[in-house]
Amino acid sequence: MSTARQGPLLLGVRHHGPGSARAVRAALDAARPAAVLIEGPPEGDALLALAADPGMRPPVALLAHAADDPGRAAFWPLADFSPEWVAIRWAQEAGVPVRFMDLPAAHSLAATGEADDAEPDAVRLDPLAVLAGTAGYDDPERWWEDVVEHRGTGGAGEEALGAFEALGEAMEALREAYGDGGHRRDLVREAYMRQRMRAARREFGDGYAVVCGAWHVPALRTRTTVAADRALLTGLPKVKVETTWVPWTHRRLARAGGYGAGITSPGWYAHLFAARDRPVERWLTKVAGLLREEDRQVSSAHVIEAVRLAETLAAMRGRPLPGLTETLEAVRAVMCDGSDVPLALIEDRLVVGDVLGEVPDAAPVVPLQRDLTRQQRSLRLKAEAQERELELDLRKDTDAAKSLLLHRLRLLGVDWGTPTASRSSTGTFRETWRLRWQPELSVRVAEAGIWGTTVLAAATARAEADAAAAGELGEVTALAEQCLLAGLSEALPAVLRALADRAALDTDVARLAKALPALARSLRYGDVRGTDATALGAVAAGLAERICVALPPACAAGLDADAAAELRGHIDGVHTAVGLLADADDGLRARWSEVLRKLADRDTVPGAIRGRAARLLLDDGRLEAEETARLMGLALSPAAPPADAAGWIEGFAGGSSGGGTLLVHDDRLLGLIDTWLVGVPERAFTDVLPLLRRTFGAYEPGVRRTLGELVRRGPGGPAAAQSAGGAPEGFAPELDRERADAVTELVRMLLASPDGVAAA
């Protein structure tokens, strides 16, 4: 096959290949074409000039989305080492026209969501895998590195042109053997590319260059008629699209990030493209620097030894240069002491990386994005690809404004930040966020643009629409909480109307109980943030009253174990909510205590709920110790079914409620449980054992050890440890109030936050 071909210069590349990028630059320098066509949507032609803007820093992506449906979008990512980006910048520096030539996004986005156009049984061909297998390689990435990335094809123009010609011939052989390789959509794309090439020929003759995926080169060389190509393009669906540049990340270039034309090691490829000489030595120096930052002892001697080992491995394997495989094996052996733990950090930070690109302010954006960018700058909230934690003190104006922005974005579906538990404080004036900007959030911002031109206006409109569309009470209460967190006072009236309507119609006590905690938190957050949440008070009080009336009958309706466990969880939530609402309604706590007393006394109520009600009353000081012992004795009597009795124990002493500590210090309750447990019939014991194990297994090891020691002392359990004075060992017969009061101030200090404000 002849290496000399007539017509335009066709440069078949691998997307995001540094070797291809160097070769493209060398070939263009040698050929000096009059124009350059790039694989990409023609709608982006008007944005190509921005590539020369000093504010444009790859990786970036050309974003196209349907004007009436921003969620229908597509990206064309470009990095410094992408051949297409190199060709764009070469054309701009050379002063020659550069244009995109792929199928318009108006057609490709209109086809999004349609059935796959491949044959049902077709297997999509991976050209690199076939070529690698033909050459005796089992890893296409390693083959590509050996034949392209490590061959230095960018050193001379003639060498680069020869490499492109050889790769084109290989792809031509594949197309002859496999046809479209299962990529039926490519036939339409290639028909449009040929149309663009015909237009370029009329304008520039054959003196233009084409930079496209190597797979397309044979199809672009094929002579077809205009009529045949038009037939493939006739009747394609079409939508109106908008385009812009958005920042991209190396992580999103990786295949693991979900990008179809991605690569496995963008950080490594970026290094190969930037390092003009001694790439392995420079790479291992970077690795050593990262490990030193992580307090690992890595010296220059380690770097030298790792370089030697990598080169030795490459020589043994017949590779022109050490590849990523050899360098990582050398790093593991020399710098990581054979451990994969620090190696995983290297792969994450350097092999992939979190480099985030930048786009200039001149890039077109939706008004909402412009307002978001303004607020980010004003609040000094920089969008970063690497995850980081942000601690906010809501008493400070700037931190409060950051919190409002992040909560408003979450309501709009732009999850830039995720709330997380704070390690430094439990006070309600503190918030901790985990921030990470991902390129897809640009699409979310574009989608949210339909709600308004500013973040505040858009979040308000979205909240009002969500309130009207909510189908359950819990959805509206959660939305009310979001509105307070986001400071959306204008949306609250619509949310409250929806809340009152849903609450009036809902008769399911479980849903009512599930909704109340969110309302109680909303009232509390409103107080902490200075937001007027008084309108929620009446709704919350009415909801609490309905729960107090409906809960006892609901708990006595023959619940099974799962339903009882679910309702028990709701009772815990309501109890916490009543504690938050009690300041606004002095009688609410008393009414709720009456409900708990009814639940604790009725033998028709499942044991798990009776036990939990008794425990909540005891903790609130509304149940005497003698009465508690009486209730436990009834629940654990021989007449009680073992499963119900075990459920009572779990409700009373299970979970994270401190039940173990209570049993350690109350010998009567522990003795009752011990006596019941010894008397459980053998057959029933097998049934109740999982429940008991779940109850006592949740205790701290020290508590379990102490309980075991108390029970081991023999008959009577803790009672055997009493002193001659009649009190348990280590305790006086009566409470010494003066000594007890002396620790009050210390306990108050222990329960306070670091800033002196009582903890939540």
Side-chain angles (χ1 to χ4, degrees):
M1 188 177 293
S2 173
T3 59
R5 289 186 180 271
Q6 300 297 320
L9 177 64
L10 300 182
L11 304 178
V13 302
R14 183 191 186 186
H15 303 299
H16 318 308
S20 291
R22 289 193 300 268
V24 163
R25 180 178 292 161
L28 293 176
D29 283 338
R32 309 300 297 181
V36 179
L37 302 185
I38 309 289
E39 183 178 332
E43 291 93 341
D45 284 352
L47 302 176
L48 281 171
L50 290 173
D53 191 297
M56 181 75 84
R57 297 180 183 178
V60 294
L62 186 67
L63 164 64
H65 63 83
D68 58 350
D69 182 11
R72 184 181 293 186
F75 297 97
W76 285 263
L78 297 169
D80 275 321
F81 52 86
S82 299
E84 296 88 346
W85 181 261
V86 169
I88 291 170
R89 295 295 295 121
W90 182 92
Q92 290 173 333
E93 293 167 2
V96 301
V98 56
R99 298 165 187 168
F100 285 122
M101 63 175 297
D102 204 349
L103 186 71
H107 297 309
S108 58
L109 290 179
T112 300
E114 294 183 357
D116 193 346
D117 51 16
E119 295 293 338
D121 298 325
V123 177
R124 293 184 180 274
L125 182 73
D126 181 352
L128 293 187
V130 175
L131 293 177
T134 303
Y137 285 74
D138 58 2
D139 183 358
E141 293 291 331
R142 202 178 82 174
W143 173 80
W144 182 261
E145 282 191 351
D146 284 355
V147 300
V148 177
E149 308 304 339
H150 295 164
R151 292 296 183 182
T153 53
E158 290 301 321
E159 182 182 359
L161 292 171
F164 282 119
E165 190 66 30
L167 185 59
E169 291 179 359
M171 291 297 172
E172 187 170 340
L174 288 179
R175 294 295 289 257
E176 290 176 356
Y178 296 97
D180 59 35
H183 302 271
R184 294 291 302 277
R185 188 71 178 174
D186 285 348
L187 299 180
V188 178
R189 295 174 57 202
E190 289 159 354
Y192 189 85
M193 291 182 192
R194 288 191 292 267
Q195 295 278 51
R196 297 283 283 185
M197 290 174 65
R198 293 186 183 101
R201 183 176 295 112
R202 289 193 295 269
E203 187 173 357
F204 306 107
D206 285 337
Y208 65 94
V210 172
V211 179
C212 64
W215 174 254
H216 302 299
V217 168
L220 301 187
R221 284 176 174 166
T222 301
R223 293 186 177 277
T224 61
T225 64
V226 174
D229 286 341
R230 284 179 178 172
L232 287 173
L233 298 171
T234 299
L236 291 179
K238 188 176 183 179
V239 296
K240 183 180 179 181
V241 301
E242 297 175 355
T243 57
T244 187
W245 290 106
V246 296
W248 205 251
T249 67
H250 276 178
R251 191 169 299 279
R252 276 294 183 264
L253 284 172
R255 281 202 179 104
Y259 170 54
I263 52 179
T264 58
S265 49
W268 166 252
Y269 272 11
H271 169 78
L272 289 181
F273 184 70
R276 297 299 181 182
D277 62 334
R278 306 175 71 86
V280 176
E281 290 86 342
R282 296 180 187 277
W283 173 258
L284 292 174
T285 301
K286 283 184 180 180
V287 171
L290 174 61
L291 293 177
R292 289 183 190 126
E293 290 175 2
E294 298 297 321
D295 295 327
R296 294 188 65 89
Q297 299 298 320
V298 179
S299 66
S300 300
H302 286 90
V303 177
I304 295 171
E305 186 59 30
V307 171
R308 290 174 177 170
L309 179 56
E311 291 176 343
T312 301
L313 289 172
M316 292 174 59
R317 295 168 180 173
R319 307 194 69 181
L321 281 176
L324 182 59
T325 302
E326 287 73 29
T327 57
L328 290 181
E329 289 177 1
V331 167
R332 180 193 285 111
V334 177
M335 299 183 185
C336 301
D337 300 322
S339 172
D340 287 334
V341 175
L343 192 68
L345 176 69
I346 294 166
E347 291 176 338
D348 183 70
R349 298 275 187 88
L350 295 181
V351 176
V352 177
D354 284 307
V355 177
L356 177 65
E358 297 180 12
V359 299
D361 293 339
V365 294
V366 296
L368 180 62
Q369 177 65 69
R370 200 172 302 281
D371 180 64
L372 173 58
T373 301
R374 179 189 61 78
Q375 293 194 53
Q376 286 174 323
R377 291 175 178 171
S378 173
L379 298 174
R380 297 182 180 179
L381 269 178
K382 185 178 181 181
E384 296 175 327
Q386 190 168 357
E387 186 176 279
R388 68 183 180 96
E389 282 196 353
L390 176 67
E391 292 277 353
L392 299 179
D393 184 341
L394 301 182
R395 297 169 299 181
K396 300 177 180 178
D397 292 342
T398 301
D399 282 8
K402 292 177 181 178
S403 173
L404 292 176
L405 175 62
L406 294 171
H407 278 295
R408 289 167 183 172
L409 290 175
R410 276 177 59 81
L411 198 149
L412 288 169
V414 183
D415 294 327
W416 177 20
T418 303
T420 186
S422 176
R423 295 192 298 266
S424 61
S425 172
T426 56
T428 55
F429 58 86
R430 292 239 182 238
E431 273 188 354
T432 302
W433 291 81
R434 187 173 289 114
L435 300 183
R436 185 173 194 170
W437 185 268
Q438 301 183 38
E440 289 82 353
L441 295 180
S442 298
V443 178
R444 304 284 83 80
V445 174
E447 286 182 297
I450 64 173
W451 298 107
T453 57
T454 67
V455 176
L456 174 58
T460 299
R462 175 67 182 270
E464 293 173 344
D466 286 353
E472 293 187 2
L473 178 62
E475 296 177 18
V476 189
T477 54
L479 184 60
E481 185 176 9
Q482 284 183 290
C483 287
L484 287 173
L485 292 171
L488 303 179
S489 56
E490 294 186 5
L492 272 177
V495 176
L496 289 177
R497 284 195 299 272
L499 181 58
D501 293 342
R502 302 298 188 283
L505 296 174
D506 205 323
T507 58
D508 188 326
V509 68
R511 287 201 292 265
L512 296 175
K514 184 179 179 181
L516 184 61
L519 282 181
R521 289 194 303 268
S522 298
L523 289 167
R524 182 185 190 188
Y525 284 136
D527 180 62
V528 171
R529 295 165 178 270
T531 306
D532 184 11
T534 54
L536 285 175
V539 178
L543 205 59
E545 290 291 348
R546 293 181 61 193
I547 292 171
C548 289
V549 172
L551 188 58
C555 292
L559 300 175
D560 60 21
D562 292 338
E566 180 183 357
L567 202 51
R568 177 191 136 191
H570 290 322
I571 289 172
D572 282 342
V574 172
H575 186 75
T576 302
V578 167
L580 296 175
L581 297 172
D583 293 338
D585 186 347
D586 294 336
L588 179 59
R589 191 186 297 275
R591 292 192 293 276
W592 174 244
S593 296
E594 292 175 5
V595 172
L596 292 178
R597 187 58 191 249
K598 290 179 182 178
L599 296 178
D601 283 339
R602 290 183 181 177
D603 56 5
T604 57
V605 173
I609 295 177
R610 283 186 285 124
R612 192 65 190 147
R615 179 57 191 278
L616 294 175
L617 288 169
L618 179 64
D619 288 346
D620 278 358
R622 294 179 180 267
L623 194 65
E624 298 295 334
E626 292 291 341
E627 182 65 8
T628 303
R630 185 187 71 83
L631 290 173
M632 179 178 283
L634 291 173
L636 303 184
S637 67
D644 191 68
W648 196 98
I649 293 174
E650 184 188 29
F652 183 84
S656 58
S657 58
T661 305
L662 176 66
L663 296 179
V664 166
H665 293 288
D666 195 319
D667 58 294
R668 290 173 302 173
L669 299 182
L670 180 58
L672 285 169
I673 293 177
D674 184 37
T675 301
W676 170 80
L677 189 57
V678 171
V680 173
E682 183 178 351
R683 292 182 179 178
F685 183 80
T686 304
D687 296 332
V688 301
L689 181 59
L691 189 59
L692 295 173
R693 179 176 294 170
R694 185 171 65 194
T695 301
F696 297 114
Y699 293 168
E700 294 290 336
V703 172
R704 293 201 304 270
R705 188 165 49 250
T706 302
L707 289 174
E709 178 63 25
L710 292 173
V711 174
R712 187 187 62 81
R713 291 175 180 175
Q722 289 184 347
S723 63
E729 184 178 353
F731 291 85
E734 295 182 0
L735 175 66
D736 187 335
R737 295 191 176 278
E738 184 177 352
R739 294 182 63 188
D741 290 342
V743 303
T744 303
E745 187 59 33
L746 176 60
V747 171
R748 185 176 291 111
M749 293 174 61
L750 291 174
L751 294 178
S753 70
D755 298 90
V757 179

